[in-house]
Amino acid sequence: FDFCQAEGKKRPSENLGQVLFGERIEPSPYRFTFNKKETCKSVCTKTYDTTKPEDKQKLDFLKKSMLLNYQHHWIVDNMPVTWCYDVEDGQRFCNPGFPIGCYITEDGRPKDACVINSEFHEKDTFYIFNHVDIKIYYHVVENEALGARLVAAKLEPKSYKHTHADNPDCSGVPMDISNKASGEVKIAYTYSVTFHEEKNIRWASRWDYILESMPHTHIQWFSIMNSLVIVLFLSGMVAMIMLRTLHKDIARYNQMDSTEDAQEEFGWKLVHGDIFRPPRKGMLLSVFLGSGTQILIMTFVTLFFACLGFLSPANRGALMTCAVVLWVLLGTPAGYVAARFYKSFGGEKWKTNVLLTSFLCPGIVFADFFIMNLILWGEGSSAAIPFGTLVAILALWFCISVPLTFIGAYFGFKKNAIEHPVRTNQIPRQIPEQSFYTKPLPGIIMGGILPFGCIFIQLFFILNSIWSHQMYYMFGFLFLVFIILVITCSEATILLCYFHLCAEDYHWQWRSFLTSGFTAVYFLIYAIHYFFSKLQITGTASTILYFGYTMIMVLIFFLFTG
């Protein structure tokens, strides 16, 4: 954007998580000194001559951004500068960004931020917020020699048509840019700063006023209750089956003294000779189990740290950094689990197994990420990841994650295979005709619904925080939902597995993985719905990016739930 630039200042450095999320921090031309009041200080003046094509292009870009309600995000002392305004019911909403400008439509309707001022009334006109009133609140530290600490920064965007750009007075009519305007357009950028002492806000709780104005905490409790009801219902079902049915079955088997009774076996007892037959594509299943274990532990530890408050929004990019580092360090459990299962499936090709565990799922994620980055790079976006960072990620993967996976696999193959309690028959049993409910596909599709029901309200907030730049800070809720999701996935799978074993279908390994893994498909459907209903994304590149990143999330979620 063609705003005022800071001359010759160094750019702050970002951490890994910020780089991956595409957050870039730029130095600012707005300078101020503590407790020194500034009124209507000029920053710079931009002049656009619409007869010149490059000037017209810059101005059109500004207009387009105002039409799409683009926002400035400013930071002072690591605090977002917020724009607080009254919404209905007498509540104040604090937005951590403020719009570039706004637009009045051809029939005189104000869009987005234009409702704040009745002077914005010209039809088919853009109003640019070229003046900001910044209020900085500080808290004087009594017992230390340090002086004062900043506890809040708020601003009011204003629009003024400065008649004398070199000596601005910040009064008069708003700065309007008519859509059909031609000739010369002059925009002078100015600011005012005032400092206020605020005794009531402590430095440690200075983020609270932003988080309080984030709505929806009551929806959270509702969603948690909803999920807990699902969990209780499922646990009841599982407990009932375990206690009543299995207890009955086992009691009945124990009563059989004579051999002729034992001929009339039924239900799950019939498939005991086939239940531990290795699954088809056992290699792939063991690799998925390894990667899934890695993701499961990573998510658990990340959320645990987030609950303790290490990864608050104040540490920008901390969440992503933490997740990536943990994922790299958790190569050992992945290799170990994959090797254990592969060995108990009777597999021989252990080298292939280790290589696939190290490279299959991370490789798919990295390839997807790399293609997205190429698109960003081609579009000239600032979110494109520099080549050095890509090399660093590859180095983390190849030099730390892969060797750790090998170590895990070594221990996994050294241990004896998992002992099965019953022998497997030589000849596979014939599976009888299945009813609709115990066929593989309907069972798998039904299995994903319950876990998805537990998470979909949280999902809305998480997608909002990723795509709509809202802050996400409800890690306590998320941790609770995570535990609920783990329980629900396990119990739904146990139930469906029991039903199809009773119907004498002994192919349970893949089905148990896919039953809860199918939740990821519902996640994908929800993400598509969110894209069309909530986001106004236009252009092919943006659409490809949205779905590219969504596919990464879906794959990770699939491995995790499975």
Side-chain angles (χ1 to χ4, degrees):
F1 285 101
D2 192 36
F3 294 122
C4 306
Q5 299 294 322
E7 297 301 318
K9 280 179 98 177
K10 220 171 92 244
R11 282 193 55 231
S13 63
E14 289 100 5
N15 59 29
L16 182 66
Q18 284 171 288
V19 174
L20 292 181
F21 255 124
E23 290 184 19
R24 301 287 179 274
I25 300 177
E26 294 290 340
S28 145
Y30 294 80
R31 310 269 165 93
F32 32 80
T33 323
F34 181 63
N35 247 341
K36 185 179 164 205
K37 196 176 152 195
E38 301 276 8
T39 37
C40 207
K41 197 166 181 223
S42 167
V43 187
C44 69
T45 306
K46 296 280 183 184
T47 312
Y48 302 99
D49 187 355
T50 45
T51 49
K52 291 184 187 154
E54 66 267 22
D55 280 12
K56 189 171 181 346
Q57 190 187 353
K58 281 179 185 170
L59 194 63
D60 286 346
F61 191 54
L62 264 182
K63 286 181 186 171
K64 184 185 169 193
S65 68
M66 286 188 249
L67 198 61
L68 294 173
N69 195 22
Y70 271 55
Q71 310 261 330
H72 291 279
H73 287 265
W74 289 3
I75 305 171
V76 178
D77 183 37
N78 202 23
M79 279 290 285
V81 181
T82 54
W83 173 38
C84 296
Y85 49 90
D86 292 317
V87 286
E88 66 269 12
D89 319 331
Q91 290 182 320
R92 280 182 84 62
F93 180 75
C94 290
N95 182 8
F98 69 97
I100 289 176
C102 62
Y103 176 58
I104 305 274
T105 55
E106 291 178 17
D107 48 7
R109 261 186 328 110
K111 277 185 62 150
D112 298 318
C114 275
V115 293
I116 61 170
N117 193 335
S118 55
E119 287 183 21
F120 301 162
H121 51 64
E122 299 283 327
K123 294 179 180 176
D124 195 19
T125 303
F126 292 95
Y127 287 97
I128 188 162
F129 294 133
N130 58 340
H131 173 85
V132 285
D133 286 333
I134 304 174
K135 280 189 183 146
I136 291 186
Y137 297 91
Y138 62 92
H139 170 93
V140 175
V141 185
E142 288 92 9
N143 48 5
E144 294 172 43
L146 282 175
R149 286 174 153 182
L150 184 143
V151 289
K154 300 183 183 181
L155 62 72
E156 289 280 335
K158 300 274 173 68
S159 180
Y160 294 120
K161 195 174 207 153
H162 300 299
T163 35
H164 311 289
D166 42 1
N167 183 18
D169 57 351
C170 294
S171 59
V173 293
M175 177 73 214
D176 53 341
I177 305 169
S178 170
N179 204 359
K180 310 195 172 49
S182 54
E184 197 176 61
V185 178
K186 235 181 179 177
I187 305 174
Y189 292 95
T190 53
Y191 68 99
S192 304
V193 187
T194 52
F195 287 84
H196 304 269
E197 188 173 350
E198 174 66 78
K199 291 192 170 69
N200 302 334
I201 306 178
R202 292 184 55 80
W203 189 74
S205 53
R206 59 184 193 156
W207 280 76
D208 293 2
Y209 81 98
I210 303 174
L211 305 181
E212 273 160 17
S213 69
M214 295 278 165
H216 326 301
T217 23
H218 56 280
I219 302 181
Q220 295 291 335
W221 282 113
F222 175 73
S223 87
I224 295 277
M225 293 315 295
N226 168 28
S227 311
L228 282 171
V229 168
I230 293 181
V231 169
L232 284 173
F233 159 74
L234 272 170
S235 305
M237 289 269 292
V238 172
M240 207 174 79
I241 282 184
M242 290 301 152
L243 293 171
R244 280 194 47 205
T245 330
L246 288 180
H247 188 70
K248 257 191 195 159
D249 290 353
I250 290 163
R252 190 182 296 149
Y253 291 134
N254 291 346
Q255 280 165 4
M256 293 179 183
D257 344 324
S258 54
T259 44
E260 58 266 22
D261 292 354
Q263 298 306 314
E264 303 166 26
E265 291 185 343
F266 59 91
W268 51 267
K269 194 78 161 94
L270 284 169
V271 292
H272 69 83
D274 296 279
I275 192 77
F276 292 114
R277 198 174 291 290
R280 285 169 291 206
K281 303 258 190 304
M283 170 75 88
L284 192 61
L285 182 59
S286 62
V287 168
F288 278 178
L289 287 169
S291 300
T293 311
Q294 190 173 6
I295 290 162
L296 179 70
I297 303 172
M298 174 195 87
T299 319
F300 179 79
V301 179
T302 308
L303 285 179
F304 184 69
F305 279 149
C307 277
L308 297 179
F310 292 129
L311 310 174
S312 73
N315 305 355
R316 295 165 198 285
L319 187 75
M320 193 72 182
T321 313
C322 178
V324 171
V325 170
L326 276 171
W327 182 86
V328 166
L329 296 178
L330 288 168
T332 315
Y336 179 76
V337 169
R340 269 316 285 276
F341 277 101
Y342 185 60
K343 192 170 177 183
S344 68
F345 292 156
E348 299 292 328
K349 305 186 195 143
W350 60 273
K351 289 178 192 154
T352 323
N353 180 266
V354 182
L355 287 170
L356 279 177
T357 311
S358 323
F359 294 115
L360 180 68
C361 301
I364 295 172
V365 170
F366 185 79
D368 187 329
F369 194 71
F370 186 71
I371 293 164
M372 296 300 110
N373 203 40
L374 282 180
I375 296 170
L376 282 171
W377 187 66
E379 292 279 314
S381 161
S382 65
I385 289 166
F387 184 68
T389 311
L390 274 180
V391 173
I393 293 172
L394 279 175
L396 280 175
W397 178 21
F398 284 116
C399 305
I400 302 175
S401 184
V402 175
L404 285 174
T405 312
F406 273 78
I407 294 169
Y410 171 74
F411 285 112
F413 279 117
K414 258 187 76 167
K415 284 195 80 147
N416 294 331
I418 301 165
E419 289 280 310
H420 296 318
V422 286
R423 277 208 320 274
T424 303
N425 295 343
Q426 293 294 316
I427 303 162
R429 235 187 104 83
Q430 210 177 354
I431 297 174
E433 183 64 36
Q434 297 289 312
S435 70
F436 176 72
Y437 300 106
T438 55
K439 283 202 180 89
L441 206 59
I444 287 172
I445 290 173
M446 281 189 306
I449 293 177
L450 287 169
F452 181 73
C454 292
I455 58 162
F456 89 101
I457 297 189
Q458 278 294 336
L459 212 53
F460 173 72
F461 295 110
I462 292 171
L463 289 177
N464 263 355
S465 80
I466 296 175
W467 302 116
S468 311
H469 277 286
Q470 292 179 358
M471 281 177 203
Y472 190 85
Y473 59 94
M474 298 173 279
F475 293 113
F477 279 122
L478 192 58
F479 192 63
L480 208 57
V481 168
F482 168 81
I483 303 291
I484 290 175
L485 176 67
V486 170
I487 298 172
T488 318
C489 280
S490 322
E491 293 186 340
T493 309
I494 291 172
L495 274 180
L496 288 158
C497 191
Y498 176 79
F499 290 145
H500 77 76
L501 287 181
C502 282
E504 300 175 36
D505 179 354
Y506 51 82
H507 294 304
W508 62 276
Q509 288 103 333
W510 268 109
R511 280 182 63 170
S512 60
F513 188 87
L514 294 172
T515 300
S516 54
F518 203 78
T519 317
V521 178
Y522 290 112
F523 175 23
L524 178 61
I525 295 166
Y526 184 76
I528 294 168
H529 161 75
Y530 180 84
F531 178 79
F532 287 113
S533 67
K534 293 282 184 295
L535 298 176
Q536 288 96 28
I537 286 184
T538 49
T540 34
S542 305
T543 311
I544 294 172
L545 282 170
Y546 175 83
F547 285 107
Y549 286 130
T550 302
M551 286 323 285
I552 293 182
M553 290 193 278
V554 167
L555 174 68
I556 289 175
F557 194 67
F558 167 72
L559 293 169
F560 157 70
T561 46

